[in-house]
Every structure is written in structure tokens, then in C-alpha cells.
Amino acid sequence: MPGLTRRSYFKTVQKFKADYAPAELTQYVSERTGMHVVVVDQRGPKVQGYFTLATEILDDSGSPHTLEHLVFMGSRSYNYKGVLDKLATRAYANTNAWTATDHTAYTLDTAGWEGFAQILPVYLEHVILPTLTDEGCYTEVHHIDGEGNDAGVVYSEMQGIQNNGAELMDLAARRLLYPENVGFRYETGGMMEQLRVLTAERIRAFHREMYQPKNLCLVLVGEIDHEDMLHILDDFEATILDDIPRPDASFKRPWVESPQTPALKETIVQTVEFPEEDESSGDILVGFLGPDCNDVVSTAALSVLLVYLAGSSISILENTMVEKEELASSIGTWWDARPDCVIWIQPTSVATEKLEGVEARLFEILREVESNPLDMTYLRECVRRELRQLKFQAESSGEFFSSNIINDFLFGNRDGSTLRDIGTLREYHAIEAWTEEQWKSFFRNWISDAHHVSILGKPSKDMADRMKAEEISRVAARKEALGREGLEQLAKRLEEAKAKNDAPIPQSLLEQWPVPGVNSIHFIESLPARSGLARDLGLPKNKIQEIIDKSPKSRMFIQFEHVPTNFVTINVLLGTAAIPLEYRPLLPLFMDNFFNTPVYLDGHQVDFEVIVSELEKDTISYSIMGGSRLGDNEGILIQFQVEPDKYARAVQWIRSLMFNSVFDETRLRAGMTKILADIPESKRSGSSMLYAVDGMIHLAAESVIKARNTLVKALYMKRIKKLLERQPEKVISMLEAVRRSLFTFENFRILVVADVEALVDPVSTWDVLLKGLDTSRSILPIVKQYDRLSIEGQDPGSVGTVIVPMPTVDSSFCIASTKGPISYSDPQLPALMVAISYLDAVEGPLWSAVRGTGLAYGTGFSRDIDGGFVQFRVYRSPDAYKAFSASRAIVEGYISGKLKFEKHALEGAVSGIVVAMADEQPTMASAALLSFTNSVIRGVDPDYNSELMRKVREVTAEEIKRAMQNALLPAFLPGKANVIVTCAPIMQEALKERFEGLGFEAQVQPLSHFQEDYGLEGTEEEDEEDEEDDFSDETEDMDDGSETSET
């Protein structure tokens, strides 16, 4: 074929293999346009693309962010909003994008290469030659609706985050770190006041300046057909040459050729207020300017040094400020890649009255670190552990390579020399040999002796009240100025813009692309094998089962999943049915304490610092969390990731931590302080609190998801803390009861993910865990969440609509819950899956009706088979009622036949389900976890997914209608659904009135209304304190029972 021999304009700069992971990197650059391409060849079903542009701006207009949204509104050859995403949904693909301070990245994830290849040139034309119409800008960025309220997708997004504490503190820090001529200073997402006046022409000008092929790097990760890719890119370039700036025209490379960041001349401490009714705790954010991100030795040293300072409960800052002095709930550390990196240290949940003192104490400790001898043994172990973790990340996540490649494109050398550094981790071997003085010199230079900025984030009820009043006044004044006629004109303008944006896509255009085949989708195969009680599930016929069958016999329930990996992941899944009901809220404390407590080893009590130090030497990571990762929402999961030679050691650790740990009063007090300190911070997310209230309403007290909810912790843990002070032996006895109920033979399900052929004694290694246990019992059944529902959860509809006002929220969020399937073999499931996929598609019916009109940032359905729910969500909306109502109208339209199903959209819905299946198993580890989840937790056959896909492809339009009628529409109906709304206080009365207008019984309640104490009564004095706290209450991060204790 002629195409096989033609010369490509893309020259190969270099090709090399990573020496620490199964990946090969190839770098190309176009001799015609200067476009850059880096391919990471890695095995798996997913192909991931990151189309990255370096974007720099010197204002808060939001042009980079708004442009990211507008790119999806159409291109020169495909002049229709949504054509890109409609194509993607049919080609086993998902599109998305993000805007960072220094770059904008457009993502394309597909199942297999064929779909990726089909979409690639269409996507690139949208990036390089978008339409950028006035109408698109009006609906997508900002507009005023017919009622005088601000709306728009981007505006709604920024409205939800601009005034939260983290955003205000980050912006204040950047204002102090950078002068006005450095782009890192600015809010590229856009400030609301500037988004209200941003013009389409300003966005077009930014696109002309930054969106040039020479400023674009395509990062591709997966199984890539290089020859096909180069042909596609050559053909694409030929179509744009007449429409882009001349490739040889001068171009200033963003960030690299811009004014550089000057050194800080002084240290600045600044207090920043943020709106919050609960004024009990704030945060501290400290920023330093660091080394050049291209200096791999320095950045490796920086990563290790931050681990040494605050990487775990035994590191200096965490151990002193969190564990011992109880000044903060955690110490966060990270660094941002820059020509001058930014180093961040963040003590969280600090008592407001102690903010200044804690900031001073932080630097007192840092100076002590510099003046005292370093623990070189621990520091070198930090180097080795960081190295182990990087190798694991490189094997288990495509983002490991993509993020490093993007940083190199932004700041590295164009000759490929700095990219080559990604292929090796030798810099860690270099710093492992550093002397103490080298480490101290590095520490002094960048942290202990360096100028810095410290932001003290202080919650303010006055600010919350003031902002509410100002917003009411601003909107009212605008409505008055516009008058009825002005509002009508705005409503008309919005409808006209929507009509132009939503011009129908000709079917002939979509028919240019057939639905790709599935031959290029290569799912990773995990071979299961079973031992002990797991054999009752059936014995697979494969070589791994033969190996296990030859091993010594054991009754322990163990399932092995064999994948070609260099690591071992051990999972111990525990049921919670035997935990006494009144002790289930103790699980957060039990889990926090599990790895951070003294342990008896060889007859001697060993301090927790020594335990953690030894754990870190033996592992890549360890954690205890909810069992949802394995599909068991009501379970508890202990997970270790180790190298194969540490397999037996990890099992021994599990035994020791389960049975030989000590409930130490001092350690329990430290854990309790952390839990309580996090609660005020947890009360500041409208989206998260939505799920917290939903869980409190729909789950029974027996559910450990509910027992671990922050709305339980806020009351129960406060009383436990007092009880711990008065009767520590009582609390310890309660924790011992939890231990006895969890760690029993009949409660263990073990999953080992490994190259089983490389394991020594894969089965008999577990004998140590059986010592002293009664192994005659049968395994306890998996408890499903639908067995732990409240009366309201069993039959949703009686609660109606609950509106929870939150002063930390500027927008609104909504979730509606109704009955759904409780079995993976439910006959209506295939049609329900297609119905949801059809409605939720990007640029699909709900997207167009809600996000496309600026009513919300997002909406969608979900099916929770474990809980037996179908749920509908509205995310970050200027008016959740309008988004809810518009979505209901769409569902009713399809049921009545007023809206017709489109053939190509139905094909896209099926393709979306294929993508979802690939998303469940993109890596070796995730493929193994899914195999276990399907066989052990869900109880489905090995061919379940393929059989399900067969049924999905056979679903008819009438079956979809029935699924919408029977399963989806009830989410919008009074008496069939319970609806929870969290919102800004300014919205509460209007939302209540409007939902009542739909027939729902509506009520407004504070978060404190949903708190529960599980029968743990407080003293009269404690109850008075609770009432005082309730008065100032209101909101918290979702606690779905997913808190994790890990390192």
C-alpha cells in the first residue's frame, strides 16, 4: 500500500525503555508545524491521550478556562456543538479537559486503538480550529437568565469554589509569591467578577496566541499503532496549514522565555478570612520557592525530604505537631513543578485561636531539624521507600508517565535531554549516598533558612453573613435596573443563543464514522486460583490453580489472582456483622489506631514509632479502609503492597497488628483529637454533605457506612473523647470488643494479587494467621447494603425534599433516591444500563438540557445495586430546582414519545458501557480486583461481562422506555423519591417553595438535625456543649464510610 511507504513529517527524536517499569517511550516532533508527540507503549485495554498546551496569562479573566470549555462547541469542519462527544460515545471513548495554572490539557480515553485513531483528527481540529462563537460564550461562560440571576457552566463551576477557604488561601499565597509580570500569580479559572464581563473576543485572542501546533504536545499512553498514528497526524497537519500562524513565525515559549520568578526578599505572614459559621478551626498554608524542576537530583531530594518531614505518623512534623502536641489533624506537604518549584507545607484543622502560635511552632521545629543531627538511617529508608513507590506507580498508573511528560514539555529542554531523565530513577541512588551535611545544606537552602509566605486561613461568620447580604443586594439591584423589559430581553437572548448552539447535527455527518470494532481492545487477563474455603466457589482450570493445589492444604479462604506484576498486593476483607451495634461508630478510631499503636513483639511492648518505622521498611504501602474497593460497602479492608520477598513478612505483620496490638490511652487520645479536628473542615463541602445527609436518611443504624458518617462522628466521637478522659478502661474494653468481632477465622476473605509463580509458599505462609483461631466454622456471608437500609431507604418517598442551607456554599447540589435493582442478574438491568448511558452521555439529552443551558455544571443517574437505589444527581447549580425540573422533562419526553431515540446516540450508549467495563480494569491490579469482586462479592459467572454485553446490544427502544418509566422517572416523583438539596442560605426559601410546587413535602433543616449518637449518652454538661455547637452548625464533607488510615 502506498501509505505504508510515504515519508512522515514527524521525525523520531529518541526512543528508550524505562529501566524500572514495562514501558517504552518514543518522542516525535513535526518538521512541518513543530507539534510534539510522546508515546508511552504500555500494555492494557485503555489508550489514553493528553493533548497539552502551555498556557500563560497575566490576568484573572478566566480566558484559559473558558477556552477549554468552548473548544468542545464545534470546529471549522464540524461546526456543530457536541459532534466531537457524540463521535466519542460511539467509539468507546471519553473526552474531558482541565485547566491548570501553567497548561491546558484535553484528554481522550478509549477502549482500544481503533476508536482513538478515529477520533484523534476530529479532536485536534477542535483544539486548533474551534468555532468560538458569541453564542457559545454566552451560554457556556456567563449569562444572566430571565429572572436576573447569574448562570453559565464556567460561572457555576467557579461560583462553587471561589470563596472556599482552600481557594482563598491558595490565591493569597500566589499573590505574595509572584509579581504581576509572572503568570503563576493569577487565577486561570477566572474570578466571578471578571467572568461576568469576559468577552468572546478576549478568548479568541488568547486562542490565537497560545493554541499553535508548536505549543502543543500529544502524550499517548497504551498500546499504540505508531505507523497509523503518524499517518493520521500527517494528514491532519495538511488540513490546517492555511489556517494557523506561519510555523516559522516567531513565538515566545510560555513560562520558559517569560520573566522568571524573583527570589523572595522577605518572609510574609498574612491572615486570610473565609466564610464559615463554624469558627472553631482553620488551616495554615506555607509556601517556599524551590529548585528548578529540571534538576532531577534536587527534586528527588525534595520529595524525600518532605517524606522525612511529614510522610507518616513517625516523621518529625507529623509526630510532633499531630501525634504528640495535637496542634493539627495532619501536615500536608507537596511541591509544584515550576522553573522555580513551589514547596508547600500545610497544617490542617488548627484551632483558630492557635493559628499564629502553630505557624511559629512549625518553624521552630524546622529550625530544630536543621540544628540537630538528622536521623540518617530513617532518611535513607525514606529514599528507598520512595523508590519502591515510584516503581509501583509506574506499573499501576498511566498518569505516572503522562504527568512527568507534561512537565517536561512545559519546562524541559526541547532537545529531549530532560525527557530522557524519565527513563531512569538513578537520581535516587545518587541522593541515597548523600552525607548528612549535603542534606542539611539542601534543607537550609530551600526550607529552614529560606524566605517564605505563610497564610493563616481564619473562618469568619461575619464574612459569611456579609457575603450573603452583598450578593442579595447585588442581584436585587441588577434586577431593578433591568426591569421587566430588560429581563425579558435577556431571556430572549438566551433562547436565541441556545437555539443556535443546539442546531441539530446532520445524521450524514455522524455516519462518516462507523462504530469501531473491538479487536483492538485487549483486556488484561487475570488467572484466579482458590484455596481453603474459597474452593467452595468452584475451582478454575488453569496452571495457577494447579500450583495452589500442590501447596499444603489450609482452610483459610484465599483467592489468588495471577497477573504479570513485580509486586504483591495483599487484601484482607473483613465482615462487620458481628460488631455490636452500639460500638460500630468506634470504627473510625479503631481504624486510625490500627497502624499507629504499640505492639507486643517477642514478648515485649514495642512503641508505635518503631512499629511504623519497620512497616515502612517492609512495604510499599499499607492501609485500612472501607471495603468498597472490593465491592463490599459494608466491609473493612486491610491492604498491603509489598515486593515478593516481603510476602511472608507482610502476613506476619497482619497477624501482629490484629492480635498483638495495644490500645494505648495516649495513642487513642491523639487519634481522637485528629478525628474531631477534621470535623469542622469536613463541614464545608456542599457536594459531600449531600451524600452525608442522604446516608443518614436512607441507611439503618446497622450500616457501618452510616456509623462512620461524619454526622455520627460529630456527636458520638465528642462523647467518646469525654469518656476516654473519665473512664479510659471503658473505651478500651469497647475497642477490644470490636477487635474480637472482626478478627475471627470465619470473617476472613483473603485476596492475593501477584505473579503467583514467583511466590514462595503462597498458601502455607498464611498458617501464622490461623494460630489460636477456631477453624471449624463456616465462612460468614457477605452482608449487602440493601439489608441495612432504614425504613425510608427500603421505601423511598416518605421524606420528600430536605433542604440544608450551608454558608460555605455559593451554589446548590441535589440528589434524588428511589428504588432500584438489587441483583446483578436482574432482567431489567441491561435496559437500565443503556437508558442511563443514553441520557448521561456527554452532549447527550441531559447534558444539552442542563449543562448546555448553564443550569448546572453536571447531572447524572447512577445505579447502586448493593444498596438497591437508583439516584439522580445535580452537581453545582445556580438553581438545583431548575436543573431537576429540566431533567425530569427530558425523561418524560422519551417515555411519552415526544422525544425520539437517535440511532447513533443508542450506538454511543452501548459503546459507553464498553468503556465503563474497560475503566474498571485498566491495569493489572484493577483487573485482578475486578475478578475477585465479580466471583466472590457479586457471585456472578466468569463470563458475566461478556454475557451482559450481549444482552446490552440486544436492548430495544421499547425496553429503554420501560426502564425509564419504571426505574428513572420515579426519582423525580413525590412519594417515590427522597430529594436532598444543599445550597447557599440565600436559596433555601425559593427552593423549598419550588419543590413544594412539584408536589413534594419540603422542609429546611440544619445538619445537626441528622446527627446521631447510637445510644451513647453524654453528661448534662456535654449535652449543653452539643447544643451550642448545633447552633453554629452546618455542613460537612461527605463521609460515606470511606475514611482511610494509610501510608
Side-chain angles (χ1 to χ4, degrees):
M1 294 175 63
L4 296 178
T5 57
R6 71 181 185 183
R7 175 186 174 273
S8 174
Y9 286 95
F10 284 81
K11 72 172 183 179
T12 302
V13 178
Q14 59 182 328
K15 177 184 288 190
F16 58 91
K17 291 184 178 180
D19 62 13
Y20 53 90
E24 183 175 59
L25 286 76
T26 308
Q27 181 183 14
Y28 301 97
V29 65
S30 171
E31 297 176 310
R32 186 161 47 174
T33 67
M35 186 189 302
H36 302 261
V37 182
V38 181
V39 176
V40 182
D41 285 298
Q42 234 176 3
R43 185 182 168 214
K46 298 294 295 293
V47 177
Q48 298 170 304
Y50 305 83
F51 310 151
T52 307
L53 299 115
T55 45
E56 180 180 17
I57 198 167
L58 300 180
D59 62 40
D60 297 318
S61 67
S63 295
H65 183 201
T66 54
L67 177 55
E68 171 226 307
H69 282 250
L70 292 172
V71 156
F72 292 92
M73 301 289 283
S75 68
R76 180 194 61 184
S77 303
Y78 312 101
N79 191 10
Y80 298 93
K81 174 190 172 187
V83 67
L84 175 62
D85 289 303
K86 285 183 180 296
L87 170 61
T89 58
R90 298 173 68 241
Y92 315 122
N94 287 315
T95 64
N96 209 333
W98 73 75
T99 302
T101 303
D102 51 21
H103 70 277
T104 304
Y106 297 88
T107 64
L108 175 61
D109 287 1
T110 67
W113 168 253
E114 190 174 338
F116 193 99
Q118 187 180 89
I119 299 170
L120 180 59
V122 182
Y123 204 156
L124 291 180
E125 184 180 287
H126 277 71
V127 172
I128 300 299
L129 301 175
T131 53
L132 302 182
T133 65
D134 290 345
E135 292 81 7
C137 182
Y138 192 67
T139 60
E140 192 76 8
V141 179
H142 173 265
H143 60 267
I144 301 168
D145 65 20
E147 297 179 3
N149 297 310
D150 296 289
V153 177
V154 176
Y155 190 86
S156 297
E157 180 181 354
M158 299 312 295
Q159 184 183 47
I161 63 175
Q162 179 170 310
N163 289 313
N164 70 39
E167 287 292 318
L168 291 171
M169 293 173 66
D170 174 71
L171 186 61
R174 288 190 282 126
R175 297 291 204 234
L176 295 175
L177 285 168
Y178 300 107
E180 293 183 357
N181 67 338
V182 175
F184 295 118
R185 173 186 177 90
Y186 297 96
E187 175 50 75
T188 53
M191 305 294 283
M192 284 189 290
E193 53 273 21
Q194 295 209 31
L195 289 171
R196 290 196 288 264
V197 298
L198 180 62
T199 66
E201 185 49 46
R202 176 69 184 91
I203 299 170
R204 293 183 194 114
F206 182 77
H207 181 272
R208 285 193 296 271
E209 181 183 5
M210 292 289 163
Y211 278 50
Q212 301 185 34
K214 68 181 70 174
N215 192 36
L216 171 65
C217 181
L218 312 182
V219 183
L220 279 63
V221 182
E223 297 183 18
I224 313 298
D225 184 332
H226 287 244
E227 187 173 40
D228 190 25
M229 177 195 72
L230 295 177
H231 287 173
I232 291 168
L233 295 179
D234 280 330
D235 291 343
F236 168 72
E237 281 194 331
T239 68
I240 65 170
L241 290 174
D242 294 337
D243 297 283
I244 61 173
R246 287 178 50 194
D248 59 353
S250 62
F251 176 77
K252 186 182 77 170
R253 184 180 172 190
W255 308 115
V256 174
E257 297 175 0
S258 301
Q260 297 301 296
T261 305
L264 290 173
K265 296 180 180 179
E266 60 179 340
T267 289
I268 302 173
V269 180
Q270 184 179 101
T271 297
V272 172
E273 291 188 339
F274 59 89
E276 169 63 286
E277 286 195 2
D278 186 339
E279 297 182 323
S280 62
S281 70
D283 289 342
I284 298 171
L285 182 64
V286 181
F288 311 79
L289 293 176
D292 184 345
C293 65
N294 291 314
D295 182 345
V296 293
V297 173
S298 290
T299 55
L302 180 57
S303 296
V304 169
L305 187 58
L306 293 179
V307 171
Y308 177 81
L309 291 173
S312 74
S313 58
I314 64 169
S315 56
I316 296 167
L317 294 179
E318 278 275 345
N319 189 254
T320 304
M321 299 183 71
V322 178
E323 302 294 339
K324 293 179 178 176
E325 298 179 6
E326 300 178 3
L327 300 174
S329 67
S330 67
I331 308 294
T333 62
W334 69 97
W335 59 271
D336 293 332
R338 303 276 187 268
D340 299 282
C341 289
V342 186
I343 306 165
W344 300 102
I345 299 178
Q346 184 178 41
T348 63
S349 300
V350 177
T352 303
E353 68 275 10
K354 295 181 180 180
L355 286 168
E356 293 86 353
V358 173
E359 193 271 347
R361 177 62 177 142
L362 169 65
F363 283 93
E364 184 178 289
I365 297 170
L366 291 175
R367 286 189 291 271
E368 290 173 0
V369 172
E370 192 281 326
S371 60
N372 295 328
L374 299 177
D375 184 343
M376 292 301 294
T377 300
Y378 179 59
L379 186 50
R380 290 195 177 103
E381 183 49 46
C382 288
V383 175
R384 290 188 282 269
R385 192 159 194 258
E386 183 78 1
L387 190 57
R388 292 196 297 272
Q389 291 180 335
L390 288 172
K391 291 178 179 179
F392 181 79
Q393 291 167 21
E395 180 184 285
S396 59
S397 172
E399 293 179 2
F400 172 86
F401 286 103
S402 64
S403 59
N404 283 290
I405 293 167
I406 289 172
N407 285 334
D408 180 77
F409 171 68
L410 297 177
F411 309 119
N413 299 331
R414 284 290 188 247
D415 62 5
S417 58
T418 49
L419 180 66
R420 187 88 186 188
D421 290 333
I422 296 174
T424 180
L425 297 173
R426 61 176 177 269
E427 60 270 20
Y428 286 89
H429 300 295
I431 62 174
E432 189 176 2
W434 274 15
T435 64
E436 181 178 19
E437 182 49 41
Q438 283 178 291
W439 281 108
K440 282 198 170 187
S441 175
F442 185 86
F443 181 60
R444 285 192 296 266
N445 189 37
W446 299 117
I447 296 181
S448 66
D449 291 356
H451 289 308
H452 57 273
V453 299
S454 291
I455 305 298
L456 310 182
K458 183 178 180 181
S460 169
K461 184 179 184 300
D462 288 343
M463 184 179 182
D465 294 340
R466 184 174 68 252
M467 287 177 58
K468 176 182 176 181
E470 289 173 352
E471 183 67 3
I472 292 172
S473 176
R474 183 185 70 83
V475 175
R478 182 170 63 196
K479 289 180 180 179
E480 183 177 353
L482 287 168
R484 180 177 177 182
E485 184 178 342
L487 291 173
E488 289 176 350
Q489 289 175 350
L490 287 171
K492 180 182 178 182
R493 182 183 176 189
L494 177 59
E495 290 306 312
E496 290 173 348
K498 286 161 57 177
K500 183 164 183 178
N501 290 340
D502 296 334
I505 303 171
Q507 294 300 305
S508 59
L509 181 61
L510 294 175
E511 287 170 358
Q512 294 180 26
W513 298 282
V515 175
V518 296
N519 292 335
S520 67
I521 305 174
H522 300 147
F523 288 100
I524 297 171
E525 184 181 17
S526 175
L527 296 180
R530 295 177 179 133
S531 175
L533 296 182
R535 295 170 65 90
D536 293 342
L537 297 176
L539 295 182
K541 294 181 179 180
N542 60 55
K543 63 178 181 178
I544 305 304
Q545 185 64 56
E546 293 174 3
I547 292 173
I548 298 305
D549 287 343
K550 294 175 183 176
S551 302
K553 297 296 183 284
S554 169
R555 277 186 51 79
M556 179 71 76
F557 184 112
I558 309 175
Q559 178 152 321
F560 296 90
E561 292 289 344
H562 173 77
V563 290
T565 174
N566 295 315
F567 305 97
V568 181
T569 300
I570 297 171
N571 304 270
V572 181
L573 185 63
L574 305 164
T576 56
I579 302 176
L581 176 62
E582 64 273 22
Y583 296 163
R584 293 183 189 187
L586 275 174
L587 279 170
L589 180 60
F590 184 91
M591 293 162 72
D592 178 84
N593 187 74
F594 188 74
F595 293 110
N596 295 295
T597 196
V599 176
Y600 272 102
L601 297 177
D602 300 323
H604 302 284
Q605 181 171 314
V606 181
D607 290 342
F608 95 95
E609 288 93 346
V610 177
I611 296 298
V612 173
S613 177
E614 292 300 312
L615 276 168
E616 291 183 353
K617 288 180 184 178
D618 290 336
T619 67
I620 296 162
S621 70
Y622 53 87
S623 57
I624 181 169
M625 66 196 84
S628 58
R629 188 173 294 184
L630 289 180
D632 182 11
N633 292 341
E634 291 291 331
I636 301 295
L637 176 64
I638 299 170
Q639 187 175 82
F640 276 68
Q641 289 163 335
V642 297
E643 293 172 304
D645 63 340
K646 296 291 186 179
Y647 175 57
R649 182 70 172 148
V651 175
Q652 180 62 61
W653 272 120
I654 292 169
R655 166 77 195 193
S656 298
L657 292 164
M658 283 182 175
F659 298 106
N660 300 337
S661 62
V662 177
F663 291 114
D664 177 76
E665 184 181 339
T666 301
R667 299 301 310 133
L668 292 173
R669 278 202 304 267
M672 184 64 66
T673 299
K674 285 187 291 182
I675 291 170
L676 291 174
D678 279 337
I679 289 173
E681 179 66 27
S682 296
K683 291 181 173 182
R684 293 166 185 160
S685 165
S687 174
S688 298
M689 285 319 332
L690 194 69
Y691 292 92
V693 174
D694 182 76
M696 295 303 293
I697 289 174
H698 293 116
L699 298 177
E702 288 80 4
S703 170
V704 297
I705 301 292
K706 182 172 186 173
R708 294 161 56 204
N709 191 306
T710 307
L711 291 171
V712 172
K713 286 191 284 189
L715 194 56
Y716 186 93
M717 286 299 180
K718 192 182 300 179
R719 294 179 179 176
I720 284 290
K721 182 181 181 183
K722 295 291 186 181
L723 187 60
L724 187 62
E725 293 170 355
R726 297 194 312 269
Q727 297 177 273
E729 69 284 351
K730 170 68 173 174
V731 176
I732 290 172
S733 71
M734 295 163 70
L735 290 166
E736 288 288 3
V738 174
R739 187 211 302 260
R740 288 192 300 272
S741 64
L742 278 177
F743 302 143
T744 62
F745 167 77
E746 64 271 22
N747 207 31
F748 291 143
R749 285 177 173 83
I750 312 296
L751 166 63
V752 178
V753 180
D755 178 349
V756 177
E757 293 176 305
L759 285 183
V760 177
D761 300 326
V763 175
S764 60
T765 292
W766 288 93
D767 290 348
V768 66
L769 193 57
L770 297 177
K771 291 180 181 178
L773 299 183
D774 181 355
T775 62
S776 64
R777 300 179 180 233
S778 300
I779 194 89
L780 292 173
I782 298 286
V783 175
K784 298 298 183 182
Q785 192 171 320
Y786 57 70
D787 290 325
R788 291 180 173 178
L789 299 181
S790 65
I791 293 175
E792 293 82 4
Q794 293 169 27
D795 190 18
S798 61
V799 173
T801 298
V802 178
I803 296 162
V804 183
M806 297 174 55
T808 53
V809 173
D810 289 327
S811 54
S812 60
F813 306 82
C814 172
I815 185 168
S817 301
T818 190
K819 278 187 175 181
I822 61 172
S823 169
Y824 285 90
S825 58
D826 191 304
Q828 71 170 325
L829 185 58
L832 179 58
M833 292 171 65
V834 177
I836 291 175
S837 184
Y838 185 91
L839 291 169
D840 283 357
V842 178
E843 292 296 343
L846 291 182
W847 178 289
S848 299
V850 179
R851 177 169 170 140
T853 58
L855 293 180
Y857 189 72
T859 60
F861 286 96
S862 61
R863 50 186 173 82
D864 177 7
I865 293 177
D866 196 43
F869 294 111
V870 167
Q871 293 181 313
F872 173 75
R873 310 171 311 282
V874 176
Y875 179 76
R876 200 177 287 155
S877 168
D879 187 333
Y881 164 80
K882 288 184 178 179
F884 181 90
S885 183
S887 301
R888 172 176 169 170
I890 291 294
V891 175
E892 289 176 331
Y894 281 104
I895 293 170
S896 68
K898 181 180 177 181
L899 297 175
K900 305 299 182 183
F901 292 103
E902 298 178 6
K903 172 180 177 249
H904 298 97
L906 287 171
E907 292 172 343
V910 174
S911 296
I913 295 169
V914 174
V915 172
M917 290 183 175
D919 285 341
E920 282 189 304
Q921 45 188 317
T923 65
M924 291 179 284
S926 59
L929 295 183
L930 180 63
S931 176
F932 177 88
T933 299
N934 276 343
S935 61
V936 177
I937 309 300
R938 296 173 180 170
V940 298
D941 294 333
D943 63 347
Y944 173 79
N945 278 0
S946 58
E947 181 63 17
L948 180 62
M949 277 309 307
R950 182 188 65 78
K951 293 177 180 178
V952 161
R953 294 183 188 280
E954 294 174 353
V955 168
T956 66
E958 284 304 313
E959 289 173 323
I960 298 172
K961 277 188 183 182
R962 283 199 296 273
M964 289 183 176
Q965 176 78 54
N966 299 331
L968 300 186
L969 183 61
F972 301 98
L973 300 180
K976 296 291 186 181
N978 293 327
V979 181
I980 316 299
V981 179
T982 54
C983 65
I986 189 177
M987 301 177 180
Q988 66 186 64
E989 291 305 324
L991 286 169
K992 179 176 183 292
E993 181 179 330
R994 287 169 175 171
F995 275 98
E996 286 174 339
L998 286 178
F1000 286 92
E1001 291 187 12
Q1003 55 183 302
V1004 177
Q1005 297 289 356
L1007 280 180
S1008 57
H1009 176 78
F1010 304 97
Q1011 293 182 170
E1012 290 190 19
D1013 61 12
Y1014 274 67
L1016 182 64
E1017 297 182 0
T1019 65
E1020 185 174 334
E1021 178 185 347
E1022 290 166 9
D1023 289 338
E1024 289 176 359
E1025 291 177 4
D1026 293 339
E1027 289 176 9
E1028 291 175 4
D1029 291 343
D1030 294 347
F1031 181 75
S1032 66
D1033 201 2
E1034 272 5 295
T1035 58
E1036 86 169 77
D1037 233 338
M1038 169 201 177
D1039 194 309
D1040 61 353
S1042 61
E1043 83 269 280
T1044 302
S1045 176
E1046 65 181 329
T1047 183

